[in-house]
């Protein structure tokens, strides 16, 4: 039977088969809002009618400016399932960047969560979209416009997505290396991504899971977890604000799988290690967005008994590309050897194709998968974009045979484990040789006095660029720490790799999605670092 693959099938299945499963939201006042899939489903149907009545038509873009809440989850289904395009705005971008994005997307309507109402005011005067609906995550207050819309709307709605290639969502990259770029997803691409990540050897979510996406719902559709969780019938826990105590949230809701960028897990670790709460339900972390340091993987697995699964992906890939799990053949390895493998970004998930390429005068040549040869990582899959929103594909981002050039430099070993060496733009070129900032950061983090480390390339007259390490130290670090770190790196790397300088700071600047912001570091420290 050949009929469109759509998100309507996901919400219908969730309601019919898993209607009693829970959606719990940690509200900004610290209380928990709970309801089940069927309650969500009924509100989604009313919301679909309400949004249609507001004049939203097939293909129109509808933005959200919101935290992770049950209302945001309702919009995740209601907007695409009427044929419109959900556009979650990154609330941490500047008003100028957002105004530009909203202008490009031509958003017809914006749903604003009251947590960000004041912040949104600074933006509102800059955007052309006049239609704004506020909602209040603190309570299901019937007086708010959002609740009024839902209560006054008709309860029945018949989904009618006639073509699986209709766009369902629009996300912008987080802008780590430049201005954010828009990526459109279709019903088909998200449906297939959902099936792929729900395989046992990928996210492996089951009906017994309680899933906590700590990744914001504006970051690559919360890595597809809202759809994957509900198709699997897992409970979902959303956190509208940074939890005051993540251990309490896990203990109160029985979280089994949690997902977020490495910074989230570095921050949470001391609290989880103290074990003041029972977090024994937590079985797995899904970590991506940037490299998870080996030392942190080891800490979670060894000290907390929580399995760490490293994932790599991109907004352009919906976002999952690879997933790092051990093979049966690895079971006889020592723990240290196993963590080395888990620190790699992993193997392509079923449906994703990878290749390593080197640019030649007339295109690209493929490089071997030997775990050593470094090349440009290129990908394709049914859930990878073939262009950026409103931009014709350019050779900078897409090859002539239609593979995505990821902008990452990597190795792939004979078993298909991919390891990111660096982003092409972050790699340090010194005296004509390449230095991987990621490899140096990973090595620095092995020292117990180092809490955070970022290595950047500083312009140098003689060598082109030289590495400088920017480090956050633990309290009471050794006073000769620069020399100690230099010595430690010397045992692992060639002399020219060793950073010329170590700068100690209280905090590493982060991007809008919590990645280390190397561009900001270069700007902030440029005068100091050069001196
Ligand atoms: P941006 O490029 O603006 O940060 P994305 O959030 O889509 O936007 O980031 C995708 C990029 O993030 C990848 O190309 C890669 O450089 C990096 N990345 C994602 N996951 C990992 C990972 N597990 N390890 C290392 N880098 C990662």
């Amino acid at each position: 039977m050949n009929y469109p693959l759509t998100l309507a099938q996901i919400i219908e299945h969730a309601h019919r088969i898993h209607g009693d499963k829970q959606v719990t939201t940690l509200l900004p006042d610290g209380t928990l809002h709970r309801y089940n899939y069927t309650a969500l489903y009924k509100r989604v149907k009313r919301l679909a009618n309400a949004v249609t009545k507001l004049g939203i038509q097939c293909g129109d873009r509808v933005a959200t400016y919101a935290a992770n809440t049950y209302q945001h989850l309702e919009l995740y289904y209601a907007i695409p399932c009427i044929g419109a395009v959900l556009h979650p705005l990154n609330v941490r971008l500047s008003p100028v960047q957002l105004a530009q994005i909203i202008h490009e997307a031509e958003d017809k309507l914006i749903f604003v969560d009251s947590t960000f109402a004041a912040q949104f005011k600074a933006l509102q005067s800059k955007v052309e979209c006049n239609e704004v609906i506020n909602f209040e995550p603190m309570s299901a207050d019937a007086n708010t416009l959002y609740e009024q819309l839902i209560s006054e709307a008709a309860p029945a709605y018949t989904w009618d997505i006639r073509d699986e290639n209709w766009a369902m969502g629009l996300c912008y990259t987080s802008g780590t290396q430049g201005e954010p770029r828009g990526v459109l997803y279709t019903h088909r691409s998200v449906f297939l991504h959902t099936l792929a990540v729900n395989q046992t050897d990928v996210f492996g979510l089951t009906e017994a899971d309680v899933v906590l996406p700590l990744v914001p719902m504006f970051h690559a559709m919360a890595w597809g977890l809202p759809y994957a969780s509900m198709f699997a019938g897992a409970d979902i826990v959303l956190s509208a604000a940074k939890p005051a105590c993540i251990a309490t949230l896990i203990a109160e809701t029985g979280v089994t799988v949690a997902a977020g960028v490495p910074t989230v897990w570095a921050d949470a670790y001391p609290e989880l290690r103290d074990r003041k709460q029972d977090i024994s339900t937590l079985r797995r972390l899904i970590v991506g967005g940037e490299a998870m340091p080996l030392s942190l993987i080891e800490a979670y697995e060894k000290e907390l008994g929580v399995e760490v699964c490293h994932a790599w992906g991109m907004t352009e890939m919906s976002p999952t590309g690879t997933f790092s799990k051990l093979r049966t053949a690895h079971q006889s390895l020592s723990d240290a050897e196993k963590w080395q493998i888990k620190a790699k970004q992993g193997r392509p998930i079923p449906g994703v194709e990878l290749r390593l390429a080197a640019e030649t005068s007339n295109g690209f040549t493929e490089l071997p998968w030997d775990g050593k040869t470094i090349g440009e990582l290129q990908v394709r899959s049914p859930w990878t974009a073939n262009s950026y929103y409103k931009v014709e594909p350019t050779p900078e981002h897409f090859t002539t045979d239609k593979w995505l050039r990821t902008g990452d430099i990597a190795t792939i070993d004979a078993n298909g484990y991919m390891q990111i060496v660096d982003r092409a733009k972050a790699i340090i070129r010194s005296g004509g040789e390449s230095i991987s900032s990621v490899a140096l950061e990973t090595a620095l983090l092995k020292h117990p006095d180092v809490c955070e480390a970022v290595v950047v390339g500083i312009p140098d007259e003689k060598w082109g660029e030289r590495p400088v390490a920017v480090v956050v130290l633990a309290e009471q670090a050794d006073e000769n720490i620069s020399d100690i770190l230099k010595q430690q790196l010397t045992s692992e790397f060639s002399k020219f790799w060793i950073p010329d300088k170590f700068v100690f700071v209280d905090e590493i600047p982060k991007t809008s999605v919590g990645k280390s912001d190397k561009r900001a570091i270069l700007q902030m420290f440029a005068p100091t670092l050069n001196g």
Side-chain angles (χ1 to χ4, degrees):
M1 293 178 193
N2 186 353
Y3 58 90
L5 308 174
T6 76
L7 294 191
Q9 286 152 48
I10 299 185
I11 182 91
E12 283 296 329
H13 181 81
H15 153 62
R16 266 185 186 270
I17 310 302
H18 305 290
D20 61 339
K21 298 318 288 281
Q22 295 289 304
V23 176
T24 305
T25 306
L26 175 68
L27 300 171
D29 67 358
T31 58
L32 295 177
H33 171 279
R34 295 179 198 261
Y35 66 0
N36 64 23
Y37 280 9
T38 290
L40 173 131
Y41 171 83
K42 288 183 176 164
R43 283 168 60 90
V44 167
K45 287 225 150 177
R46 285 177 179 272
L47 191 55
N49 277 318
V51 177
T52 307
K53 216 169 158 190
L54 287 170
I56 296 301
Q57 295 180 355
C58 216
D60 285 345
R61 270 76 64 204
V62 177
T64 54
Y65 189 81
N68 291 12
T69 65
Y70 61 96
Q71 291 104 328
H72 208 166
L73 188 59
E74 291 163 1
L75 290 160
Y76 252 57
Y77 286 98
I79 305 298
C81 288
I82 63 166
V85 181
L86 175 80
H87 176 201
L89 297 167
N90 180 338
V91 298
R92 298 191 200 128
L93 292 180
S94 73
V96 174
Q97 274 177 314
L98 275 176
Q100 213 171 327
I101 286 173
I102 293 169
H103 175 75
E104 181 175 274
E106 298 174 77
D107 293 320
K108 285 257 167 66
L109 172 65
I110 306 180
F111 283 88
V112 178
D113 145 354
S114 65
T115 317
F116 301 119
Q119 189 180 320
F120 185 74
K121 281 220 172 85
L123 170 65
Q124 200 163 4
S125 58
K126 295 186 173 51
V127 298
E128 292 133 34
C129 172
N130 291 323
E131 191 90 58
V132 173
I133 311 269
N134 288 294
F135 61 84
E136 173 66 77
M138 299 294 278
S139 65
D141 181 351
N143 294 323
T144 66
L145 187 49
Y146 184 84
E147 290 304 324
Q148 262 178 35
L149 281 177
I150 290 191
S151 60
E152 287 166 8
Y157 187 98
T158 307
W159 313 123
D160 187 22
I161 306 297
R162 269 161 273 151
D163 185 342
E164 64 186 16
N165 294 307
W166 281 359
M168 63 64 56
L170 173 64
C171 265
Y172 278 72
T173 59
S174 51
T176 309
Q177 294 285 351
E179 284 309 309
R181 286 188 292 267
V183 179
L184 264 188
Y185 306 122
T186 64
H187 280 267
R188 172 189 157 84
S189 69
V190 171
F191 191 96
L192 293 175
H193 178 265
T194 306
L195 291 184
V197 297
N198 270 353
Q199 299 215 18
T200 314
D201 275 339
V202 191
F203 294 175
L205 303 178
T206 74
E207 177 271 342
D209 278 313
V210 180
V211 181
L212 170 64
L214 280 173
V215 40
M217 289 171 83
F218 57 72
H219 189 199
M221 305 302 269
W223 301 354
L225 284 162
Y227 300 127
S229 304
M230 289 188 66
F231 220 4
D235 285 346
I236 301 181
V237 179
L238 300 169
S239 183
K242 192 172 179 228
C245 176
I246 188 168
T248 309
L249 182 61
I250 293 171
E252 280 183 1
T253 56
V255 170
T256 59
V257 177
V261 294
T263 319
V264 166
W265 303 117
D267 287 354
Y269 180 69
E271 193 184 305
L272 297 176
R273 184 195 47 204
D274 285 350
R275 290 198 180 83
K276 294 209 175 100
Q277 309 278 346
D278 177 10
I279 57 152
S280 56
T281 53
L282 186 61
R283 68 176 177 90
R284 171 180 287 184
L285 300 187
I286 299 171
V287 193
E290 65 182 340
M292 176 78 157
L294 194 145
S295 47
L296 199 55
I297 296 177
E298 179 179 337
Y300 269 91
E301 296 218 336
K302 194 163 135 192
E303 303 299 330
L304 299 184
V306 177
E307 182 192 19
V308 177
C309 293
H310 203 179
W312 165 88
M314 303 175 73
T315 305
E316 292 85 335
M317 301 187 71
S318 305
T320 319
T322 66
F323 199 70
S324 203
K325 276 187 81 180
L326 298 176
R327 302 175 67 218
T328 320
H330 294 138
Q331 294 312 328
S332 56
L333 297 178
S334 68
D335 282 349
E337 287 167 319
K338 285 181 185 166
W339 291 319
Q340 291 278 0
I341 294 166
K342 299 195 106 182
K344 294 185 176 191
Q345 278 68 17
R347 303 203 289 170
I349 67 170
V352 170
E353 292 172 77
L354 300 184
R355 70 183 183 194
L356 269 190
E359 207 156 3
T360 61
S361 51
N362 53 357
F364 291 97
T365 173
E366 264 202 77
L367 299 171
W369 290 20
D370 57 12
K372 289 194 284 269
T373 308
I374 295 172
E376 170 181 317
L377 185 64
Q378 300 182 348
V379 294
R380 64 175 192 171
S381 78
W383 48 88
T384 295
N386 59 10
S387 68
Y388 289 101
Y389 183 57
K390 287 190 173 169
V391 185
E392 284 299 314
T394 60
E396 186 195 348
H397 299 294
F398 298 93
T399 64
T400 46
D401 60 350
K402 299 190 168 35
W403 287 57
L404 171 72
R405 302 180 67 187
T406 62
D408 288 329
I409 303 295
T411 59
I412 307 178
D413 71 17
N415 291 319
Y417 284 83
M418 184 273 287
Q419 182 160 30
I420 298 283
V421 172
D422 222 329
R423 290 195 187 225
K425 287 186 182 163
I427 209 140
I428 301 165
R429 296 287 297 169
S430 186
E433 303 275 351
S434 295
I435 298 174
S436 158
S437 62
V438 174
L440 287 171
E441 288 156 10
T442 305
L444 287 167
L445 283 162
K446 284 185 200 157
H447 194 283
D449 284 353
V450 175
C451 296
E452 287 184 79
V454 167
V455 177
V456 288
I458 297 298
D460 183 276
E461 266 182 30
K462 185 168 174 198
W463 301 107
E465 277 185 327
R466 288 297 303 144
V468 169
V470 182
V471 176
V472 178
L473 289 176
E475 278 170 27
Q476 292 164 356
D478 195 299
E479 56 183 33
N480 296 320
I481 189 72
S482 295
D483 293 338
I484 296 171
L485 292 176
K486 264 190 188 170
Q487 197 140 21
Q488 179 184 312
L489 295 179
T490 310
S491 62
E492 245 183 89
F493 301 102
S494 314
K495 199 165 160 243
F496 78 96
W497 277 55
I498 312 304
D500 287 350
K501 200 167 176 177
F502 289 80
V503 179
F504 299 104
V505 295
D506 293 335
E507 210 181 335
I508 300 280
K510 299 286 175 346
T511 67
S512 60
V513 294
K515 306 186 190 194
S516 303
D517 192 342
K518 293 191 178 178
R519 286 200 301 163
I521 292 169
L522 277 169
Q523 271 165 17
M524 280 171 63
F525 298 115
T528 347
L529 295 177
N530 268 327

